[in-house]
Amino acid sequence: YIYMNRKQKAAWLAMIFPSAAGFLCFSLLPTVYSLILSFFEGGRLEKFAGISNYLALFQSESFRLAVWNTLRFILIAVPVSMTLALVFALWLERSPVLSQLFQSVLFFPFVIPSICIAVVFGEIFALDGWLNRFFRQSVDYLSSGWAFVIAIIVFLWKNTGILLLLLLQGLHTIPPERYDAFRLDSDSAIDRFRMITLPGLRPPLGFALFFAILQVLRLFRDIYLIFGKYPPQEIYMLQHFLNNAFFSLEYGKLTSCAFTVSVLVILLAAGLYFCFRRRWK
């Protein structure tokens, strides 16, 4: 920008102004207003409440339940999906012909609209769904203890493919010369994976892990469409808490929860960045 002449600067400002104005009006200002609103009672800037909204948030049983269910889901679904993605990525990396075909097939669930996912899984697990008709039984999977398992299945089916693609691209960045040099010393596949593949995959693994955790926080649409507004207790997560606070017009609870989650996500991103930013030696 410094080395532009006046006409180039004017053209640059004209091109960036629409995006900057949209970001300012629809993202930055609402975010700042919501942050300020989280320190006031109700939905107006009338009575200053300090951090009472945040203290009340952590005293809420529904919020603690949502946090626990979300953490439990992350600790179970994310490692399983990352493991499956890594195993399939290692397999496809050795089969270039199959790799092109499977990349398209496995990416497909990620772009399917949530309503289609809800219809399919609803037809499978409903009281009169395909599963009950096949086994000639009448198990209400959508209201029983199977709800958590079904939510994990939905997450794995939708996100394992995109995680596989991220790790597969990371495998392609590892120089083949490293494998050639390693074969001079050892033929052990386990040692090759531990000393060459895993260190070379460190940055892609960190990004894929963070992406998977974000996808857990975005799973609300699918769960909402499959299980309805009031899902079983074991899959009541942070998104349900935020959604209920919005519909009940509890703006103090809504904004304080939103910024608490945002701070946790930022800290998580920073932690993963410092842990995975360098390759192992």
Side-chain angles (χ1 to χ4, degrees):
Y1 183 81
I2 298 177
Y3 300 101
M4 294 180 181
N5 56 41
R6 185 175 299 177
K7 184 178 294 185
Q8 290 174 331
K9 290 180 179 180
W12 183 82
L13 291 174
M15 288 187 289
I16 202 175
F17 177 76
S19 298
F23 172 76
L24 179 66
C25 295
F26 301 108
S27 294
L28 184 59
L29 291 180
T31 300
V32 173
Y33 178 76
S34 299
L35 178 60
I36 296 173
L37 196 64
S38 67
F39 295 99
F40 286 82
E41 291 185 2
R44 298 180 179 178
L45 302 178
E46 295 179 352
K47 187 175 181 180
F48 184 73
I51 61 172
S52 60
N53 287 328
Y54 292 89
L55 295 177
L57 181 69
F58 287 97
Q59 295 172 357
S60 170
E61 293 185 5
S62 57
F63 176 75
R64 293 199 297 267
L65 175 64
V67 171
W68 164 244
N69 286 338
T70 303
L71 288 176
R72 185 164 63 110
F73 195 94
I74 290 174
L75 293 175
I76 295 175
V78 171
V80 173
S81 63
M82 290 290 293
T83 302
L84 291 174
L86 181 58
V87 170
F88 280 105
L90 292 171
W91 175 58
L92 292 177
E93 199 263 340
R94 299 181 180 180
S95 305
V97 177
L98 292 177
S99 178
Q100 296 297 326
L101 174 63
F102 275 86
Q103 284 185 41
S104 302
V105 174
L106 295 173
F107 183 72
F108 186 66
F110 185 74
V111 297
I112 293 179
S114 296
I115 187 62
C116 299
I117 297 174
V119 170
V120 172
F121 280 88
E123 286 293 328
I124 294 175
F125 295 104
L127 190 59
D128 58 345
W130 301 340
L131 197 59
N132 280 330
R133 291 201 298 266
F134 181 80
F135 290 103
R136 296 181 181 179
Q137 57 186 5
S138 57
V139 179
D140 191 2
Y141 293 100
L142 300 181
S143 300
S144 64
W146 285 92
F148 189 79
V149 178
I150 294 173
I152 290 180
I153 293 173
V154 173
F155 177 83
L156 295 178
W157 181 79
K158 185 174 182 179
N159 296 287
T160 301
I162 185 65
L163 295 176
L164 184 154
L165 295 180
L166 294 175
L167 296 180
L168 189 60
Q169 294 303 315
L171 287 173
H172 291 162
T173 63
I174 301 176
E177 295 80 9
R178 294 189 180 182
Y179 291 106
D180 296 336
F182 182 82
R183 292 190 187 97
L184 298 176
D185 298 325
S186 174
D187 290 331
S188 173
I190 297 177
D191 290 340
R192 183 172 65 248
F193 173 78
R194 181 175 57 87
M195 300 178 65
I196 303 297
T197 305
L198 201 57
L201 269 182
R202 190 172 184 178
L205 274 174
F207 178 79
L209 179 61
F210 181 67
F211 181 83
I213 295 175
L214 288 184
Q215 293 308 305
V216 172
L217 299 177
R218 297 183 58 190
L219 194 64
F220 168 73
R221 293 177 300 175
D222 307 292
I223 294 179
Y224 182 86
L225 292 171
I226 295 174
F227 297 96
K229 186 176 181 180
Y230 300 101
Q233 183 174 342
E234 61 266 25
I235 56 172
Y236 179 83
M237 295 194 287
L238 283 170
Q239 303 95 320
H240 293 91
F241 182 85
L242 290 167
N243 187 67
N244 294 342
F246 174 78
F247 278 107
S248 59
L249 302 179
E250 296 176 299
Y251 294 114
K253 181 189 295 184
L254 174 65
T255 53
S256 59
C257 180
F259 282 100
T260 300
V261 174
S262 299
V263 170
L264 293 177
V265 170
I266 292 173
L267 293 176
L268 174 65
L272 291 175
Y273 171 76
F274 286 109
C275 289
F276 290 91
R277 61 177 176 175
R278 294 181 180 178
R279 301 178 185 269
W280 294 342
K281 296 182 180 180

